[in-house]
Amino acid sequence: MKKLIALTLALIMCLFCFASCGTDVDAGAKDTNDVADTGNAAADSDLAYIKDKGTLVVGVTVLEPLDFMDDNGAWTGFDAEVAMAVAAKLGVDVKFQEISWEAKETELAAKHIDCIWNGLTITPARQEEMSITDPYMLNKQVAVVRSADADKYADLATLADAVIAAESGSAGEEVVLDKMADATYIEKSIQLDALTEVKAMTADVAVIDYVMANYLINKEGSDFADLQMLDIELSDDEYYGIAFRKGSDVTATVNGILTELADAGTLGEIAGKYALTDALVID
């Protein structure tokens, strides 16, 4: 009888231990899942991703006075300087990566770059694909010709027989294809090349950003001083924004930093260096 009681007690103890061990395993699994969930939440944060690698990779093209190379081969310009100021506030370095403007959305989504900060015109279509900051600068599309030929073009109809250059994937290209469909179109990789085509007399007209045209035509010692903008309305007012990945939490953070920089007078000071004070729209 004693042996039977002992055997029964032993069996009960084994079952108790097994149950206890099972509870510990489940608790451990729950803890692991909790850690995994936290990790996924961090991975979903674009801001955490950028801070963790310590670098903000900015996608740019040559677009004076926003992004261009100085005499030492370093990127400078209004957008470049503001990007460096924002990166400093984020506590990270900044790296400028030259991209194909036509492939900008792909470069961003693939994380080859962290943002597009290069005179990006805000449009509903782009807002569907990317997260874009509040507007920071006013712009529009303009037609630039050689001054000697300006009298040839009085309105859109007179541009029908012209050879027109614009940057592929740009707001300028959209204007050409929409409003100058009968003209001969030359597709260029950057806006500066479109302007150079006119200078070289291999194109009659360049359709580019007003911000760039105004700066390059009027700056002291300009190579493009013999060009001028036509008084033909090509587009409504446009606004520049900074594009981050869709759903990025960096966008709101950068909006806040830009407001701080504006309140401190930093944005105005940088804009003044590039004759952009009147175009700045951040209060």
Side-chain angles (χ1 to χ4, degrees):
M1 184 65 178
K2 290 181 179 178
K3 288 183 178 180
L4 181 59
I5 292 172
L7 183 60
T8 302
L9 289 173
L11 181 59
I12 291 171
M13 288 300 292
C14 286
L15 290 172
F16 179 79
C17 289
F18 179 80
S20 298
C21 289
T23 302
D24 289 342
V25 170
D26 290 343
K30 185 176 186 302
D31 290 343
T32 300
N33 288 335
D34 287 345
V35 171
D37 288 344
T38 302
N40 287 337
D44 289 341
S45 169
D46 218 16
L47 184 59
Y49 166 72
I50 291 168
K51 286 191 172 185
D52 185 58
K53 64 189 177 79
T55 307
L56 177 70
V57 183
V58 180
V60 297
T61 66
V62 176
L63 182 65
E64 292 189 62
L66 303 177
D67 294 300
F68 60 98
M69 295 281 195
D70 65 16
D71 293 337
N72 297 316
W75 285 97
T76 190
F78 176 82
D79 278 1
E81 288 199 34
V82 176
M84 286 185 274
V86 168
K89 291 273 190 181
L90 291 174
V92 298
D93 295 329
V94 62
K95 175 185 176 183
F96 295 101
Q97 178 69 51
E98 193 164 6
I99 60 171
S100 163
W101 193 246
E102 193 172 18
K104 57 190 175 296
E105 293 90 351
T106 302
E107 295 277 7
L108 184 61
K111 291 192 173 182
H112 296 157
I113 58 175
D114 296 315
C115 64
I116 304 165
W117 202 329
N118 190 229
L120 178 92
T121 300
I122 301 172
T123 67
R126 287 173 176 169
Q127 287 175 316
E128 285 292 320
E129 294 188 40
M130 302 175 286
S131 177
I132 305 178
T133 62
D134 295 335
Y136 67 90
M137 188 168 288
L138 179 66
N139 183 52
K140 61 183 176 180
Q141 297 303 305
V142 294
V144 178
V145 301
R146 293 177 291 278
S147 296
D149 297 332
D151 291 342
K152 296 180 182 179
Y153 307 108
D155 51 30
L156 281 171
T158 57
L159 294 171
D161 296 326
V163 177
I164 302 178
E167 179 185 55
S168 177
S170 70
E173 181 182 65
E174 291 180 14
V175 168
V176 173
L177 297 179
D178 181 45
K179 297 184 176 181
M180 308 172 196
D182 294 332
T184 301
Y185 173 47
I186 299 177
E187 185 178 327
K188 304 304 296 183
S189 60
I190 59 174
Q191 293 193 51
L192 182 63
D193 287 349
L195 208 58
T196 301
E197 290 279 351
V198 176
K199 173 77 175 177
M201 302 182 70
T202 47
D204 302 311
V205 183
V207 177
I208 64 172
D209 288 7
Y210 168 81
V211 164
M212 181 183 192
N214 185 59
Y215 176 79
L216 287 180
I217 290 172
N218 295 307
K219 78 173 184 177
E220 186 176 351
S222 172
D223 292 335
F224 300 100
D226 57 340
L227 305 184
Q228 72 178 66
M229 290 179 279
L230 295 176
D231 189 20
I232 299 175
E233 186 173 310
L234 299 184
S235 71
D236 295 332
D237 287 344
E238 303 167 352
Y239 292 91
Y240 290 156
I242 306 145
F244 295 91
R245 282 177 275 278
K246 187 69 175 177
S248 176
D249 55 352
V250 183
T251 312
T253 301
V254 170
N255 276 333
I257 292 174
L258 290 176
T259 299
E260 289 177 19
L261 293 173
D263 291 344
T266 305
L267 285 189
E269 182 181 338
I270 297 173
K273 292 172 61 175
Y274 300 101
L276 292 172
T277 303
D278 292 341
L280 202 59
V281 297
I282 295 181
D283 297 324

